Amino acid sequence: MTDDDPDTATDAVANADDSAEGGTAVRRDRFSGGPARAFLSSLAADEAIFAADLAVDRAHVVMLAEQGIVDDAVAGEVLAALDDVEAAGHGALPDGEDVHEAIETAVIDRVGPDGGRMHTARSRNDEVATCIRYRLREDLLAVAEATLTLREALLDVASEHAETVMPGYTHLQPAQPTTVGHYLLSYAGGVGRDTERLLGAYDRTNRSPLGGAAFAGTPFDVDRERTADLLGFDGLVHNSMDAASARDFLAEAATACATLSTTLSGLAEDLILFSNKGFLELSDDYSSTSSIMPQKKNPDTLELTRGVAGDAIGEATGTLSLLKGLPRAYNRDLQRAHASVFEIADDVREATEVAAGAVATADWAVEDLAAAAGDGFSTATGVADLLATGGMPFRTAHEIVAAAAEGIDDADDPATAAAKVDEAAREITGEPLSAYVSREEVEAALDPTESVASRDSTGGPAPDAVAEALAASRAELDDDAEVVATRRDALADATDRLETEVETYV
Ligand code: ARG
């Protein structure tokens, strides 16, 4: 075979990686087109890391030139070829086992055999690991940004409805009155932890494996910190075997997405139930209708949001299952680990944005909520608390209110209900309620708004407590937004740095 043989380029690529696997002929026979070729190839799915691979190639070539491993002229030719490959797009790549091989083939097609110098001092193993991290960090930031949007919507509506009284539930039964503000803040807290988990996953994802080579390092004098810096990574995955093998960051990202999605599914379920009860009306933008039943307005967007959680949990489980028991170092199983994580991150981001929109635009039925807030004797706990405050043992108070509850119904006015509690007190303790608290106090405790106002412990639903929580949540949101913006800027700066370096060669 001569240098101008059309197969030479492909063979050079084949040789460049996994050189321990054998010479050109062996490699060609093993991979050139058997029935398993399509099964082996990840080229189509690798579209998701096409841009990442170009960036990784550029940073690697710049570093090779700076270290004197390839000369500047060859670096310039390779970098120019990469621009051309980028302009042609993923669809124009030659056939290959994966995007790394295909891009290299495309470069060699343009530059000739010197193009194969691009793959000096690396392997597809560290290359693909770097590409996945490069791509995934963008996805994680996008999901984190969506959580910020949702938190903002939750806080805006919470502050608008800080004093809107509503029924609170446990076991889906009326439990205690609360407020829409307090309720929404509960989700702002959960989604806030989701942001933290995503940012934690981001920080562990954003480390460079490049330069680890196949797993065992390289004799070339590579500068791993330099490529890490050019690609915007905050440091290295230090051990070269860890660098090539580790995918725990994928499991962590999938789990962070699944946890967020689980939070969203609860919010979606609540809002579906509330709209069913007439407590809430979704805006038309977040509803759908029926093709046959003209009167229907269905909460489809929230049902889909709830549904995404199933896929996200499946993805987290699937990722861990794929990784379980893999021996060191690289195994081809890993090729199947990342594409679906990118996809689920995208789905969860979209579900988060939809949830934010649905929350921001829904109409809360303030009067219906207030009317229902006391249903099911939901103020019972507050009455028992009041009796205990007046000196009665809480267990006795609980017994009295439980006995009264049997005879109290939703139509009773406060005076009637208070009389029934008084009767129960006399039966159980032989004393009237007035031995402990005044009748006015009992009637106030039976009022849902007063009941809410009395529960002013830290994090509780009383207006002052909610105002404090709102302020704290807003401050946390601002801090997290700042962290996300800093990460974004650092990535944009790195992109500029790499572009500037590349321009000095091309
Ligand atoms: N497409 C492969 C992947 O995604 C690249 C690594 C191939 N390395 C190897 N030793 N066969 O994992």
Side-chain angles (χ1 to χ4, degrees), residues 32 52 70 182 187 200 213 223 245 318 358 384 416 420 428 435 462 478 483 492:
S32 63
V70 303
H182 186 245
Y187 278 107
D223 186 344
S245 318
T416 313
K420 291 178 181 174
I428 289 170
D478 290 347
V483 171

Side-chain angles (χ1 to χ4, degrees), residues 197-210:
R197 273 185 281 270
L198 290 160
L199 291 175
Y202 177 92
D203 288 345
R204 280 175 288 280
T205 298
N206 198 30
R207 306 267 164 202
S208 177
L210 197 60

